[in-house]
Amino acid sequence: GQLIECLTLMAHAVGKEKFAPFSQQLIGAMILIQEGTFEKVDPQKSYLLSGWQRLCYVLGNDFAQYLPSILPSLFSLIQSIFNSSPENVESDAKDSEYNTYETEEAEVAINLLSVLIDEMKEAFVPYVVRAISIVIPLCDYKTNEGIRKSAAGCLPSIISCVKTTNLEDAKNSAKSFLNTLWNAVSTEHEPEVIQEQIEAMRDILNAIEWTFLDQNEMNAFFNQIIKLMMESDVRKAENEKAKHEEGIDDEEITMLNEETSREEEIHLAIADLIGTIFKTHKHLSVPLAELICTQILPKALEANQSEKMHKFGIFLIDDCIEYLGLELLSSKWEFFTQALLTFATNKAATVRQAAAYGIGNLGIQSREYFAAISDSCIGSLYDSLKCQQGTDKPKPFGHSRDNTIA
């Protein structure tokens, strides 16, 4: 195992050209080891999985020639890892989170699959069905959140892979994967996993690039998004209520604030997902945009909301302007303008950055309208440049200034 690690690290260090004369010999030896018999707890499995990942990166497209020899026994190895994990062992605590040698091994295995799919692209297509049969059940893998996150992150790579040879198959797979992710989200309790699942949905939409959902499917998608935001808001409200209960101490309040912050990260991921929907399903998105403008944004932009929630609101406005435009949302243009002018001088650099970006898009998307408000916009941008760094970190503060100047 350590010899495999050493040799594959050396290959990664010296690069493809210098490693090439030795690649066949090393890969042949690794295949022989992989096709052998392993103990239930056997470090060689993790060394092999990590080694294949390094060699895939080193050899690039040249690694594809070895896939027929590597993948059959590799799939068997990966399946055996998941078969021996706590998920498949009868236990009264089956729904508990486990972090064991087996679950760490399983996470390495799913990450390797993701790397192979990303790097091999079209060459991996013959093995996609087998990969899907492994990955899909892991999206709802109850006993380890790391595996659930890794499985969700693998799905967009599969879509990109399938798309290289058959767009229609990719579209159908994308619909199926989105349903899988929504089902997983509906029973998920960990905010970090929910965020990863939302980001996977976004990446699936981006992987297809074009409209592939019809209006009924899009309406169901909208309803799921709204439900997800409402559930997150309920959890935030419960945290806020708990902070004022009798006998709560400072440490518990800190933990509740951290939980609320994680819920707000979910909102930011949702904003990113909605922006991708606007970009890829423009004309089907107007009902969602109308609902956002009337029911979501007024609350998100209230003065007492957090920096993250203000970012959430401004991100949504930016995407409405950039992807839907004056053509579809002319009645909301003045509302968007006033919000961006207000938040261009917000005390948080990240919010100012998003507002400045939106003002720039106002000028691009509605030149005639912008001519009438240009003085106000330029004035707000100048005022934005006068904002001091304060508690902002140097990087976001610099990005805010760059956006404002641009």
Side-chain angles (χ1 to χ4, degrees), residues 116-369:
L116 289 174
I117 296 165
D118 276 336
E119 295 297 314
M120 296 296 95
K121 297 182 173 63
E122 190 172 347
F124 195 87
V125 170
Y127 311 100
V128 158
V129 173
R130 183 73 175 97
I132 291 173
S133 72
I134 292 174
V135 172
I136 291 297
L138 303 179
C139 291
D140 194 31
Y141 191 88
K142 297 297 184 186
T143 52
N144 187 269
E145 65 178 78
I147 291 173
R148 297 196 296 278
K149 289 165 67 175
S150 295
C154 199
L155 297 181
S157 300
I158 294 176
I159 297 299
S160 296
C161 177
V162 174
K163 185 184 165 188
T164 61
T165 58
N166 193 314
L167 179 59
E168 286 306 310
D169 282 353
K171 289 179 179 179
N172 290 332
S173 294
K175 291 181 182 183
S176 175
F177 290 176
L178 289 173
N179 287 332
T180 295
L181 289 168
W182 278 124
N183 289 335
V185 166
S186 68
T187 59
E188 184 57 62
H189 301 293
E190 296 295 333
E192 292 90 346
V193 181
I194 294 173
Q195 184 179 341
E196 185 76 30
Q197 291 164 336
I198 295 168
E199 290 170 357
M201 294 184 209
R202 175 204 64 195
D203 293 342
I204 287 170
L205 291 169
N206 276 324
I208 296 294
E209 295 182 90
W210 300 288
T211 299
F212 66 95
L213 298 174
D214 61 30
Q215 188 66 70
N216 288 334
E217 291 167 330
M218 186 54 63
N219 289 342
F221 205 93
F222 296 163
N223 291 336
Q224 295 275 26
I225 290 173
I226 299 303
K227 180 174 179 285
L228 187 59
M229 283 194 286
M230 291 175 63
E231 289 171 347
S232 183
D233 283 338
V234 167
R235 291 191 294 269
K236 286 172 59 182
E238 289 173 350
N239 289 342
E240 192 62 30
K241 181 180 178 181
K243 284 162 58 178
H244 298 92
E245 290 179 356
E246 187 177 350
I248 192 165
D249 59 31
D250 290 343
E251 185 176 345
E252 290 171 317
I253 290 175
T254 299
M255 290 176 62
L256 289 168
N257 286 336
E258 289 173 353
E259 288 178 11
T260 295
S261 180
R262 287 193 288 270
E263 292 295 339
E264 291 177 345
E265 289 292 341
I266 291 176
H267 277 71
L268 291 174
I270 291 172
D272 212 5
L273 174 61
I274 291 171
T276 305
I277 292 171
F278 290 167
K279 180 174 69 173
T280 58
H281 293 72
K282 178 175 179 177
H283 291 282
L284 301 181
S285 301
V286 176
L288 176 61
E290 293 281 353
L291 186 149
I292 286 170
C293 290
T294 56
Q295 297 185 32
I296 306 295
L297 288 177
K299 182 178 179 181
L301 299 178
E302 288 175 353
N304 63 347
Q305 291 285 3
S306 68
E307 175 186 342
K308 287 182 180 179
M309 291 308 296
H310 286 157
K311 281 168 60 180
F312 166 74
I314 299 300
F315 284 175
L316 289 173
I317 289 175
D318 288 353
D319 289 333
C320 283
I321 294 169
E322 183 171 3
Y323 298 123
L324 303 186
L326 187 63
E327 169 196 0
L328 298 179
L329 294 176
S330 58
S331 64
K332 309 300 179 185
W333 226 244
E334 185 175 350
F335 168 66
F336 293 159
T337 301
Q338 291 304 314
L340 293 173
L341 293 179
T342 298
F343 284 93
T345 55
N346 188 266
K347 65 179 182 179
T350 55
V351 177
R352 295 198 302 274
Q353 178 186 355
Y357 181 85
I359 290 172
N361 271 321
L362 274 177
I364 294 170
Q365 299 294 336
S366 54
R367 293 181 182 276
E368 291 183 9
Y369 173 86

Side-chain angles (χ1 to χ4, degrees), residues 49-157:
L49 296 170
S50 299
W52 289 131
Q53 187 168 320
R54 293 188 199 100
L55 292 182
C56 181
Y57 282 133
V58 171
L59 295 174
N61 291 335
D62 290 347
F63 192 73
Q65 63 185 299
Y66 300 106
L67 291 181
S69 301
I70 294 170
L71 285 177
S73 55
L74 180 60
F75 281 137
S76 296
L77 172 60
I78 291 172
Q79 193 64 62
S80 72
I81 291 170
F82 292 118
N83 288 344
S84 64
S85 71
E87 180 81 355
N88 297 295
V89 177
E90 290 188 11
S91 170
D92 293 336
K94 187 174 179 180
D95 291 335
S96 301
E97 285 283 332
Y98 285 87
N99 285 290
T100 65
Y101 179 84
E102 287 86 358
T103 59
E104 289 177 8
E105 206 171 52
E107 200 170 338
V108 173
I110 196 69
N111 287 334
L112 170 60
L113 267 184
S114 185
V115 168
L116 289 174
I117 296 165
D118 276 336
E119 295 297 314
M120 296 296 95
K121 297 182 173 63
E122 190 172 347
F124 195 87
V125 170
Y127 311 100
V128 158
V129 173
R130 183 73 175 97
I132 291 173
S133 72
I134 292 174
V135 172
I136 291 297
L138 303 179
C139 291
D140 194 31
Y141 191 88
K142 297 297 184 186
T143 52
N144 187 269
E145 65 178 78
I147 291 173
R148 297 196 296 278
K149 289 165 67 175
S150 295
C154 199
L155 297 181
S157 300

